[in-house]
Amino acid sequence: MTTLQAVRLRTEYMEDPLGIDKLAPRLGWTLSDAEGRRGAAQTAYRILAASSPERLAADEGDLWDSGITASASSAHIFYKGAALRSEQQVWWKVQIRDERGEWGAWSDSARWTIGLLSRGEWKGIWIGRKIGRKPTREQPLPAVYLRRRFASRAGVKRATVYATALGLYRLHLNGLRIGRDALAPEWTDYHVRVQYQTYDVTELLHEGGNALAVTLGHGWYTGYIGMYGYQKYGMDPSFLLQLNIEYEDGTTQSVCTDESWRVSYGPIVAADIQMGETHDARLAEPEWQEPAFDDTAWSPATHMYDYRGMVVPQMSPPIRVTQELAPAEVKLLSEGRALVDMGQMTSGYLRVVFEAAQGVQYTLRYAEALDERGELYTANLRYARQTDAYICAGDGRETFEPLFTYHGYRYVEISGGPAPKPEDIVGVVVHSALPEAGSLETSDPLVNRLLSNIRWTQRANYMSVPTDCPQRDERHGWTGDAQIFARTAAYNMDVSAFLAKWLTDLDDGQRPTGAYTDFAPFIFGPKTEFDNDFTYTHTASSGWADAPPIIAKLLHELYGDREVLRRHYPALKRWMAFNETLYPDGIRRDAPQYGDWLSLPERPYEEAKAELGWLIDSLSTTPYDVFGTAYYANGAAIMADIARELGEHADAERYGALYGRIKAAFAREFVAEDGRIKGDTQTVYAMALAWDLLPPERREAAMARLTGKVESAGVMAATGFHGTRLLMDVLSDEGREDLAFGLLTRKAYPSWLYSVLQGATTIWERWDGWTEERGFQRPGMNSLCHYAFGAVGEWIYKHVGGIAPDPAAPGFGRAIIRPRPLGGFTWARCGYDSIRGRYEVDWRLADSGTLELAVTVPAGGEAIVYVSADAGTAVLESGASAAEAEGVEARGRLGDCETYRVASGRYLFTSQWHPQGGSQP
């Protein structure tokens, strides 16, 4: 019989992180139990942490031996060993005792290192080159090339590079690329902080001559920032590096950025994230990254201004190339012009091999879609060019791959010279390399395509921050979109460190008043490329600025992270104080705002406008005061939960009372005696029902009004970003799963499957991004890769896949397993890698009505399983009565399900199930 072993060891959510700044980092692991034994659980652990792998292999924890610690915890365990210092290396492993008292084998070893903890430990200066001109849309600024020769001795024990830039950098040592990160350092509010990266380069050093070589781009720092123009943080990029070498004899050496570095321009003559990159191969200097290169013609590097913000380590997964795609089709449009269809909307760029005479210029134009003539549809890109260019050196086969840009695209037009061969074209997929977490496949191929579209949309938009779109001149971390989609995102990928980083961005943008901003990192001021439009200050908008407490609670519920609550609690309290000051009567009267963005009119717009005036807009038909007050109440309830979790009992009581006052004000101001709510949209009812804002005696009438509106529209959702997510859960929770499944599987416009049937490979920003009757929506706001409406993914995972967290057991200590064999679905397979381990559900409904439900619960976890069953029929587990099965505790009938509490292990439930009409809540 096997014992438990710890696997997937993590430090601050990451595997083997280098250069962190936590002196007491949190450690975690998952449990491996090859047998799937029922009831397998951890009862104790022992952690060893050592200063060398040799000591760890000898079971010598010279930094920390936790001793036998009686605990079922396998996440967020603080290191409590010897004090750590800058550049400290730590190797660690863990051993587990199971529920039978047996100890498993030691885990494989893991590692973390500490970075440079003090600004005073950075010995170098910021270097670069002052370019001396302003960038334009057609002509972004060139990249800057830097290099430095240095010598090292034999006997190198360890060599570590710490590097960052105000801009972007690509680093080489002796001609070899260092690391696999793309677009580093990633986007932060540079007024506050910039992130540095840490690389182990021990194996890359040569005895004798070496060379560091850097290509320096502009990125978010000096490049174009969506709608706001260029150079919003600074005028020129600059670079900071420190290479620390430790020799076997105990001596050390540091190579830093200083004025001995050499600088030049090179073949990247223009580079911008949104506009694109131009590479003139005729300007290339072969082997410029090598030690032997003669750089006497280069100039001394410029000593740039010192950076006045914080220099901090990156503590989240980096942007990287995650996969490569072959074109689905390459079509010749005319002489010297080819159209590449990748078959999938994605983020990144093409890598292409060209073969043409010297001076031939190829142009690559990227777009999401084709117009009615079969040409690129680029009107919706607005100011972004999404255009790369390559000028051939004439040296035969030449490979072009841009460094400092990315595009949102499916189609690429290549023009200017002989068309490249299809096999010489590769789609390079680039995004934040978050670990994949969930998987779901169903009996409905259209829903499977929808799930794929959701995942691809997330990939394209999780680019250092959760952006709204990857193609047009925006690409901001819009808070409303992100918080709506966050739970779906967490099913698809492990978003723990990614969203924790973004919460810091939100705190950095928080105004002195306590107001959060509508996107982060935040850019203040008018939209310079849109006639200095300043209609919105992009601050404190309902549903958007409400994101931080929602995200913080999510991280606690899904990953069990109390520290993220504690770290951001002061900022969250300032946000609530801001609202209490502005809205003392509990009603948020903040207009104009976004509201239930991109909802559809449920009655003639002119009629609604005449009644509600400036409280609605053509893009949001739910009144702003109803919308804002509902979000205010929800925020107060979340803050009460957070305060209770942190033991802040007085605050919990105060926020709970605030929620009560807002709820009463909501009912008094907006809810009629017959249950009708001001605005009378699907969204007002979904919000009020989801967040318990109605007097009990009016709840049934409000639900009837909501279902009547959905049914009278032909089982159609008219909700926008916010209402749609809430609508599906409300219908399910209130006994109308038939309507929720009807909305999911609806094929006519507007619906999720309508876009799938039109060939979409990602989620559209609008229900009517393209329709058969009208074609494309207005180009000013018509992204075809926008994840907000993809928030339905959460509902599909919960109700079709059947896996959901239990909020009463944070960190997936317990899961709710409740797949619903409705809506014509006959099977589904779902898996989710939680912080606790992998939960799996596999169900199948036969024509005879026999339902088989296979469930896997990870070691140390448990689940409440809902088995859909006809009343009065038996439920079996592995062929015997479920109530008597090992590891199963019967909990009685709830609605149309028999419920069971199960320990870890594998189970197979069988029942008879013949659904009738709706469902029972």
Side-chain angles (χ1 to χ4, degrees):
M1 186 174 290
T2 61
T3 54
L4 295 181
Q5 186 174 19
V7 296
R8 288 185 60 215
L9 274 62
R10 299 179 300 277
T11 304
E12 291 294 330
Y13 291 122
M14 298 178 289
E15 295 185 11
D16 298 332
L18 301 181
I20 70 174
D21 62 354
K22 305 293 185 184
L23 294 179
R26 295 169 298 169
L27 311 179
W29 55 85
T30 56
L31 300 173
S32 173
D33 173 35
E35 292 180 345
R37 186 176 74 252
R38 295 189 180 182
Q42 171 186 306
T43 59
Y45 64 79
R46 183 186 176 197
I47 297 173
L48 293 181
S51 59
S52 71
E54 294 78 16
R55 283 180 163 172
L56 189 68
D59 296 339
E60 180 186 347
D62 62 317
L63 294 178
W64 186 36
D65 184 340
S66 70
I68 297 174
T69 304
S71 173
S73 296
S74 58
H76 308 298
I77 297 165
F78 284 94
Y79 169 82
K80 297 178 181 178
L84 303 179
R85 65 182 189 280
S86 289
E87 300 199 88
Q88 176 82 55
Q89 298 184 91
V90 182
W91 285 264
W92 68 287
K93 62 183 179 180
V94 61
Q95 188 180 29
I96 303 300
R97 188 181 70 194
D98 68 17
E99 79 286 357
R100 302 166 305 186
E102 298 182 11
W103 286 92
W106 283 103
S107 70
D108 291 339
S109 66
R111 176 193 183 201
W112 81 84
T113 71
I114 303 295
L116 301 179
L117 296 174
S118 165
R119 191 68 173 268
E121 293 176 278
W122 287 90
K123 302 173 184 176
I125 61 173
W126 293 86
I127 62 171
R129 185 172 198 171
K130 294 185 178 180
I131 298 172
R133 68 173 175 85
K134 298 284 286 184
T136 66
R137 179 175 183 267
E138 291 72 23
Q139 189 61 46
L141 295 177
V144 173
Y145 292 72
L146 294 156
R147 58 174 272 116
R148 159 80 189 274
R149 275 194 297 264
F150 66 96
S152 63
R153 297 186 282 108
V156 172
K157 180 180 180 181
R158 178 191 178 196
T160 307
V161 163
Y162 305 94
T164 188
L166 299 174
L168 301 173
Y169 72 90
R170 182 67 61 88
L171 181 60
H172 289 76
L173 176 57
N174 296 328
L176 297 176
R177 179 178 170 184
I178 295 177
R180 296 187 294 118
D181 302 348
L183 304 181
E186 298 179 13
W187 194 7
T188 53
D189 185 339
Y190 299 105
H191 298 304
V192 180
R193 71 185 71 230
V194 67
Q195 297 181 136
Y196 70 86
Q197 291 69 46
T198 302
Y199 303 104
D200 186 334
V201 296
T202 307
E203 302 301 320
L204 301 184
L205 279 182
H206 299 163
E207 179 182 353
N210 295 270
L212 285 161
V214 180
T215 312
L216 184 60
H218 299 272
W220 297 276
Y221 183 74
T222 56
Y224 189 91
I225 295 287
M227 304 184 296
Y228 292 89
Y230 285 105
Q231 298 176 319
K232 292 302 172 184
Y233 295 106
M235 301 298 289
D236 294 288
S238 56
F239 180 67
L240 179 69
L241 173 142
Q242 185 160 318
L243 165 60
N244 286 347
I245 304 171
E246 179 183 348
Y247 291 97
E248 297 285 357
D249 62 7
T251 59
T252 61
Q253 176 186 358
S254 289
V255 180
C256 305
T257 43
D258 56 28
E259 290 168 297
S260 70
W261 285 61
R262 309 291 288 176
V263 65
S264 185
Y265 294 122
I268 300 178
V269 296
D272 183 77
I273 283 180
Q274 296 195 13
M275 301 307 163
E277 185 165 308
T278 299
H279 187 107
D280 188 343
R282 297 170 301 178
L283 303 178
E285 298 189 81
E287 301 184 348
W288 75 274
Q289 300 160 342
E290 300 286 351
F293 176 75
D294 182 3
D295 58 19
T296 54
W298 289 30
S299 303
T302 301
H303 184 169
M304 307 296 279
Y305 294 114
D306 191 23
Y307 175 61
R308 298 291 195 259
M310 294 182 287
V311 180
V312 301
Q314 179 163 336
M315 298 284 286
S316 58
I319 297 171
R320 284 182 174 167
V321 173
T322 61
Q323 56 183 298
E324 296 183 347
L325 304 176
E329 182 182 18
V330 179
K331 182 191 301 183
L332 290 178
L333 299 179
S334 61
E335 184 68 26
R337 197 163 68 99
L339 181 66
V340 181
D341 177 5
M342 296 307 299
Q344 174 63 58
M345 171 73 191
T346 186
S347 59
Y349 48 78
L350 293 189
R351 181 174 68 240
V352 188
V353 177
F354 295 116
E355 191 166 7
Q358 185 183 75
V360 171
Q361 177 170 326
Y362 283 92
T363 300
L364 293 78
R365 299 170 58 231
Y366 294 77
E368 295 181 286
L370 302 180
D371 63 20
E372 66 278 0
R373 298 173 296 113
E375 300 285 352
L376 295 184
Y377 171 65
T378 59
N380 68 333
L381 300 180
R382 300 191 311 213
Y383 202 78
R385 292 186 72 227
Q386 284 216 138
T387 299
D388 295 337
Y390 182 82
I391 303 171
C392 294
D395 296 333
R397 290 172 58 82
E398 305 175 41
T399 300
F400 171 51
E401 181 172 359
L403 296 188
F404 298 128
T405 190
Y406 77 90
H407 311 296
Y409 74 101
R410 173 177 170 173
Y411 299 94
V412 186
E413 179 195 271
I414 303 176
S415 63
K421 299 174 183 177
E423 60 268 28
D424 287 337
I425 301 172
V426 176
V428 180
V429 180
V430 178
H431 58 88
S432 290
L434 279 60
E436 301 275 330
S439 61
L440 175 57
E441 184 181 8
T442 79
S443 58
D444 189 328
L446 293 179
V447 171
N448 293 340
R449 181 69 245 191
L450 172 64
L451 289 164
S452 173
N453 291 2
I454 293 170
R455 189 180 297 268
W456 275 103
T457 308
Q458 180 176 349
R459 287 179 181 137
N461 281 294
Y462 268 37
M463 193 74 71
S464 179
V465 302
T467 65
D468 58 328
C469 55
Q471 77 297 92
R472 71 183 179 216
D473 62 341
E474 198 161 349
R475 313 189 197 187
H476 282 304
W478 283 103
T479 49
D481 310 46
Q483 62 92 355
I484 295 160
F485 185 71
R487 286 181 179 268
T488 295
Y491 272 113
N492 286 334
M493 302 176 189
D494 179 351
V495 299
S496 52
F498 179 86
L499 289 182
K501 179 265 184 189
W502 189 56
L503 272 180
T504 298
D505 294 333
L506 286 160
D507 280 3
D508 286 348
Q510 189 175 29
R511 315 319 291 160
T513 59
Y516 280 113
T517 57
D518 300 345
F519 54 81
F522 185 59
I523 303 291
F524 180 80
K527 300 174 184 176
T528 54
E529 301 301 338
F530 290 82
D531 296 324
N532 286 317
D533 176 63
F534 210 0
T535 303
Y536 297 99
T537 60
H538 297 302
T539 300
S541 294
S542 297
W544 271 257
D546 291 302
I550 293 171
I551 297 297
K553 182 180 180 181
L554 176 149
L555 291 175
H556 176 251
E557 183 177 312
L558 299 187
Y559 303 104
D561 194 338
R562 292 182 77 254
E563 291 307 305
V564 76
L565 302 181
R566 175 58 67 192
R567 184 163 62 251
H568 296 283
Y569 190 61
L572 298 176
K573 288 184 67 175
R574 291 195 297 273
W575 163 241
M576 294 306 296
F578 167 84
N579 281 279
E580 291 177 81
T581 299
L582 260 65
Y583 313 113
D585 64 352
I587 301 296
R588 264 187 182 167
R589 306 182 192 277
D590 57 337
Q593 51 164 286
Y594 317 112
D596 189 30
W597 194 242
L598 299 183
S599 54
L600 299 175
E602 299 176 50
R603 55 173 167 155
Y605 176 68
E606 295 75 13
E607 175 187 314
K609 191 70 173 176
E611 175 189 338
L612 297 166
W614 80 322
L615 290 174
I616 66 167
D617 182 85
S618 61
L619 301 176
S620 176
T621 54
T622 289
Y624 297 139
D625 52 355
V626 180
F627 179 88
T629 302
Y631 257 111
Y632 187 16
N634 181 58
I638 289 174
M639 283 299 291
D641 290 343
I642 291 174
R644 276 191 292 272
E645 178 62 33
L646 294 176
E648 302 287 350
H649 301 299
D651 283 351
E653 184 175 341
R654 184 167 66 83
Y655 290 128
L658 175 62
Y659 167 76
R661 292 196 302 274
I662 301 169
K663 176 178 176 177
F666 184 94
R668 183 174 61 251
E669 184 104 359
F670 306 132
V671 186
E673 292 294 328
D674 64 357
R676 290 205 178 201
I677 302 174
K678 179 179 178 180
D680 196 35
T681 63
Q682 293 178 12
T683 292
V684 298
Y685 296 104
M687 298 181 91
L689 290 161
W691 293 335
D692 193 22
L693 301 179
L694 298 169
E697 67 275 11
R698 301 180 200 171
R699 189 174 180 89
E700 183 177 348
M703 182 63 189
R705 181 64 181 163
L706 172 60
T707 56
K709 292 177 73 63
V710 173
E711 290 175 315
S712 65
V715 189
M716 184 192 91
T719 44
F721 284 7
H722 300 261
T724 302
R725 175 180 176 269
L726 299 174
L727 175 65
M728 296 293 281
D729 275 339
V730 165
L731 291 174
S732 298
D733 295 344
E734 299 295 325
R736 293 305 306 271
E737 285 177 298
D738 60 318
L739 289 181
F741 275 92
L743 292 174
L744 174 64
T745 57
R746 175 185 167 92
K747 297 181 178 65
Y749 165 79
S751 68
W752 288 284
L753 297 188
Y754 179 80
S755 65
V756 171
L757 290 168
Q758 307 315 309
T761 63
T762 46
I763 300 298
W764 294 349
E765 181 177 19
R766 311 174 74 127
W767 291 115
D768 57 349
W770 186 91
T771 62
E772 294 165 292
E773 294 78 14
R774 193 172 60 185
F776 291 111
Q777 246 286 359
R778 65 181 182 87
M781 189 170 55
N782 193 32
S783 166
L784 302 179
C785 186
H786 216 95
Y787 51 56
F789 282 121
V792 71
E794 173 197 0
W795 186 92
I796 304 173
Y797 266 100
K798 289 193 300 185
H799 295 272
V800 182
I803 298 177
D806 185 341
F812 265 91
R814 181 167 56 248
I816 304 297
I817 305 297
R818 191 176 183 266
R820 303 296 287 156
L822 298 169
F825 289 90
T826 58
W827 60 265
R829 287 188 293 270
C830 186
Y832 179 66
D833 287 314
S834 76
I835 196 169
R836 175 85 50 173
R838 186 168 181 83
Y839 288 90
E840 294 181 341
V841 170
D842 189 342
W843 66 264
R844 190 170 298 270
L845 180 64
D847 292 342
S848 63
T850 299
L851 174 66
E852 290 188 343
L853 171 59
V855 176
T856 301
V857 178
E862 62 178 43
I864 306 298
V865 180
Y866 291 72
V867 183
S868 299
D870 297 337
T873 61
V875 176
L876 306 180
E877 194 287 308
S878 297
S881 171
E884 300 174 4
E886 176 193 0
V888 179
E889 174 193 337
R891 295 168 61 90
R893 190 168 181 85
L894 186 61
D896 52 17
C897 295
E898 298 294 336
T899 64
Y900 304 91
R901 183 171 185 159
V902 302
S904 61
R906 300 190 183 105
Y907 302 85
L908 178 61
F909 294 93
T910 308
S911 69
Q912 291 299 309
W913 170 240
H914 299 84
Q916 301 293 325
S919 60
Q920 302 174 41

